């Protein structure tokens, strides 16, 4: 019942639990001369376009396509609203390929109707560092759904990745397709409970009043940990060492160098926030936490149009207790006027979620690898990778 995915080099349902299959690439690379040189065919009314995200007008078009047509929750109450700044940051990464930012336009009107992107990444799976593409922002305009456009877009991004001699990919989705490497749970920590309840993001608990709820989620005005401060450019080497050492513990994790850390973790207003703990005694960097900014449009509410959400990104605690470090992250997010702080149960996050009054959401996130088999599905805590 997956006419497309059955044809792709991904783990198939019939093979789940078969531990005799070898771990690693499902099919070998083909000589580059054998990779299809021309783009796949689109329905006659549409054409391929490469989206130059550093070009303001194109960035605006992508932003609007996603704002109006990207991911919604299961009751269609909220839709992700990635900012233009965020999209440029997420896509124009060290070593990126412009032609992996793929759009589809209507031939007549030139209107952008679909999008898919890849960015290069080195991902370690067990002991092997593999060059991969991270695929994200797959979107087909609501009026063009269920016409099998998505498989053509996936094949086209695959072709362009192959032309760079890269044969594996990593991606996440809220839907189940063949076959997840891991299934993770979203957790949510209310920062502005009144607004969350007013817009239907959360509900007043049984035997709870609004004022008791507000009190329950109250946070201190300032952070607790001494030496806690915003990350700066001069911290890149120390943060890279801290992070690389931490990410070694997981089965799947990015292999980050200083350039990557500068791009992905140096604070960037309204995009990514990072903090660290510098020991007041010896100035050692011992702990790190970060979150990215991803608002959602609130669909059909009279009083509010956007939900300001922070998403937990990479966190490392070596001296400070993890829950204390993350409570300081919550305090910073509250100071910055976020309504909610979201986190997945990946890495060591289970160690703070319950203590800090996060509750499980109604959404899950499935992680996938393309053309790479792993012996058995992973626990969320074995994943050291967060995709945007
Ligand atoms: S997940 C977010 C995906 N986007 C959205 O949910 C936005 C709202 N929805 C839409 O725009 C993050 C459409 O519903 C989309 C599907 C475009 C999702 N991943 O065209 P058809 C990512 O961006 C399969 C993969 O008729 P549609 C990650 C579906 O199972 N496949 O559907 C992206 C079916 O195949 P099957 C998905 O509703 C990773 C076929 O598409 C999928 O008009 C991409 C139906 O196509 C999803 N999220 O459009 C894979 N949703 O076999 C990358 C549906 O079941 C792989 N489908 O019949 C690696 C590539 C690179 C390799 C390099 C070596
Ligand atoms: C690729 N990078 O469903 C990403 N979000 O729980 C694409 N639920 O916000 C894949 N339905 O539970 C994305 N409130 C897949 C996720 C798609 C979006 C999604 C879920 C994640 C979500 C909220 C709102 C539900 C609205 C009705 C939710 C409960 C919060 C409550 C706070 C207090 C403590 C208990 C939990």
């Amino acid at each position: 019942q997956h006419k497309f995915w059955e044809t792709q080099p991904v783990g198939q349902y019939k093979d789940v639990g078969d531990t005799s299959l070898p771990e690693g690439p499902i099919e070998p690379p083909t000589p580059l001369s054998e990779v299809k040189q021309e783009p796949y065919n689109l329905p006659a009314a549409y054409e391929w376009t490469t989206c130059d995200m550093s070009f303001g007008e194109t960035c605006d078009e992508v932003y609007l396509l996603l704002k109006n047509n990207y991911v919604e929750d299961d009751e269609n109450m909220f839709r992700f609203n990635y900012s233009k700044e965020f999209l440029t940051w997420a896509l124009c990464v060290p070593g990126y390929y412009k032609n992996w930012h793929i759009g589809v336009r209507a031939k007549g009107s030139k209107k952008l109707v679909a999008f898919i992107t890849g960015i290069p990444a080195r991902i370690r799976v067990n002991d092997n560092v593999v060059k991969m593409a991270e695929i994200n922002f797959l979107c087909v305009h609501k009026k063009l759904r269920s016409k099998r456009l998505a498989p053509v877009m996936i094949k086209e991004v695959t072709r362009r990745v192959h032309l760079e001699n890269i044969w594996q990919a990593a991606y996440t989705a809220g839907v189940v397709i063949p076959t997840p490497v891991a299934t993770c749970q979203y957790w949510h920590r209310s920062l502005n409970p009144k607004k969350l309840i007013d817009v239907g993001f959360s509900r007043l608990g049984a035997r709870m009043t609004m004022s008791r709820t507000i009190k329950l989620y109250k946070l201190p005005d300032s952070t607790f940990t001494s030496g806690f401060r915003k990350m700066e450019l001069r911290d890149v080497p120390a943060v890279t060492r801290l992070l690389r050492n931490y990410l070694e513990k997981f089965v799947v994790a990015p292999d980050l160098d200083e350039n990557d850390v500068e791009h992905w973790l140096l604070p960037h207003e309204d995009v990514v926030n990072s903090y660290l703990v510098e020991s007041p005694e010896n100035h050692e960097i011992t702990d790190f936490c970060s979150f990215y900014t991803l608002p959602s449009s609130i669909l059909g509410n009279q009083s509010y149009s956007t939900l300001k959400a922070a998403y937990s990104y990479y966190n490392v605690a070596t001296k400070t207790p993890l829950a204390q470090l993350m409570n300081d992250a919550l305090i910073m997010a509250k100071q910055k006027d976020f309504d909610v702080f979201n986190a997945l149960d990946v890495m060591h996050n289970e160690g703070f979620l319950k203590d800090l009054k996060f509750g499980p959401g109604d959404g899950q996130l499935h992680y996938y690898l393309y053309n790479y088999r792993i012996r058995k599905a992973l626990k969320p805590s074995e994943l050291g990778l967060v995709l945007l």
Side-chain angles (χ1 to χ4, degrees):
Q1 295 345 333
H2 290 287
K3 274 293 169 249
F4 170 64
W5 282 111
E6 278 170 8
T7 68
Q8 298 297 301
V10 293
Q12 297 295 328
Y13 284 121
K14 64 175 173 49
D15 302 329
V16 169
D18 185 346
T19 50
S20 73
L21 293 166
E23 182 152 311
I26 295 170
E27 57 181 40
T30 52
L32 284 187
S33 59
E34 286 171 30
V35 177
K36 193 170 157 356
Q37 294 297 306
E38 331 71 48
Y40 282 90
N41 289 323
L42 283 168
Y46 302 98
E47 62 190 22
W48 297 109
T49 181
T50 289
C51 292
D52 180 351
M53 295 300 291
S54 61
F55 183 57
E57 280 71 30
T58 307
C59 189
D60 292 349
E61 287 179 282
V62 168
Y63 166 78
L64 285 175
L65 175 73
L66 297 178
K67 176 186 161 64
N68 294 319
N69 301 278
Y70 200 50
V71 176
E72 300 179 6
D73 68 296
D74 64 350
E75 291 168 290
N76 314 102
M77 296 172 69
F78 306 96
R79 184 161 58 231
F80 286 151
N81 180 14
Y82 288 89
S83 70
K84 293 175 210 177
E85 274 277 287
F86 190 110
L87 291 169
T88 311
W89 171 73
L91 295 173
C92 300
V93 311
Y96 78 97
Y97 302 98
K98 196 174 78 181
N99 79 337
W100 291 10
H101 303 162
I102 308 173
V104 173
R105 292 186 188 280
K107 273 185 183 161
S109 65
K110 304 288 163 182
K111 187 181 146 86
L112 186 70
V113 297
F115 192 59
I116 189 168
T117 67
I119 57 171
R122 293 176 313 279
I123 307 281
R124 184 181 50 75
V125 183
N126 289 307
D127 293 332
N128 303 305
V129 176
V130 184
K131 281 183 99 175
M132 295 198 192
E134 290 177 354
I135 307 299
N136 205 348
F137 306 115
L138 168 60
C139 183
V140 168
H141 193 287
K142 287 187 182 233
K143 293 200 169 142
L144 292 177
R145 298 276 170 88
S146 307
K147 296 178 188 296
R148 311 300 297 182
L149 203 51
V152 185
M153 303 200 58
I154 294 167
K155 284 189 277 186
E156 182 60 15
V157 75
T158 302
R159 190 184 71 82
R160 296 187 193 190
V161 171
H162 284 167
L163 287 171
E164 302 300 338
N165 202 19
I166 295 175
W167 305 88
Q168 272 75 35
Y171 47 105
T172 58
V175 296
V176 180
I177 47 180
T179 49
V181 163
T183 291
C184 300
Q185 175 73 53
Y186 277 103
W187 290 69
H188 307 281
R189 203 310 182 166
S190 302
L191 301 175
N192 186 356
K194 167 122 183 11
K195 174 171 169 183
L196 295 182
I197 292 166
D198 286 349
V199 302
F201 187 90
S202 68
R203 277 186 240 173
L204 208 50
R207 297 174 297 279
M208 282 291 278
T209 61
M210 187 63 82
S211 55
R212 269 198 72 199
T213 304
I214 292 169
K215 192 172 155 204
L216 175 67
Y217 292 116
K218 253 201 162 357
L219 286 161
D221 289 322
S222 47
T223 56
F224 181 83
T225 309
S226 43
F228 186 92
R229 63 167 173 85
K230 192 169 160 181
M231 180 189 174
E232 297 173 21
L233 184 58
R234 64 184 163 102
D235 301 314
V236 165
V239 168
T240 305
R241 284 193 298 269
L242 194 64
L243 211 53
R244 287 186 63 86
N245 180 54
Y246 180 63
L247 292 176
E248 274 177 18
K249 298 174 172 49
F250 305 100
V251 177
V252 175
D255 180 58
L256 299 174
D257 64 19
E258 291 187 5
N259 277 321
D260 300 319
V261 168
E262 178 173 339
H263 180 83
W264 293 115
L265 295 163
L266 198 63
H268 185 149
E269 178 90 332
D270 297 326
V271 173
V272 64
N273 291 282
S274 302
Y275 302 91
L276 49 75
V277 182
E278 175 178 351
S279 161
E281 286 91 49
N282 58 14
H283 301 280
E284 227 195 307
I285 310 296
T286 55
D287 313 277
F288 175 82
C289 62
S290 58
F291 53 87
Y292 60 86
T293 301
L294 169 49
S296 282
S297 302
I298 304 173
L299 309 175
N301 187 275
Q302 300 296 303
S303 339
Y304 297 103
S305 62
T306 35
L307 186 74
K308 214 182 158 196
Y311 285 75
S312 173
Y313 198 28
Y314 291 97
N315 310 304
V316 185
T318 69
K319 289 270 154 57
T320 307
L322 180 61
Q324 179 185 316
L325 180 73
M326 294 309 294
N327 200 55
D328 283 342
L330 292 177
I331 292 167
M332 293 311 303
K334 175 73 193 173
Q335 263 183 34
K336 292 182 176 292
D337 205 37
F338 286 93
D339 298 313
V340 64
F341 192 103
N342 299 335
L344 292 163
D345 54 358
V346 297
M347 294 182 265
H348 294 147
N349 290 359
E350 288 210 302
F352 66 79
L353 294 169
K354 287 191 176 139
D355 288 351
L356 298 183
K357 302 174 188 161
F358 285 73
D362 63 1
Q364 289 188 327
L365 188 66
H366 309 279
Y367 278 70
Y368 301 94
L369 294 175
Y370 183 95
N371 194 24
Y372 203 93
R373 189 188 295 110
I374 56 160
R375 222 173 288 286
K376 80 197 257 300
L378 306 180
K379 300 176 207 145
S381 60
E382 294 176 310
L383 278 178
L385 177 65
V386 177
L387 301 182
L388 306 170

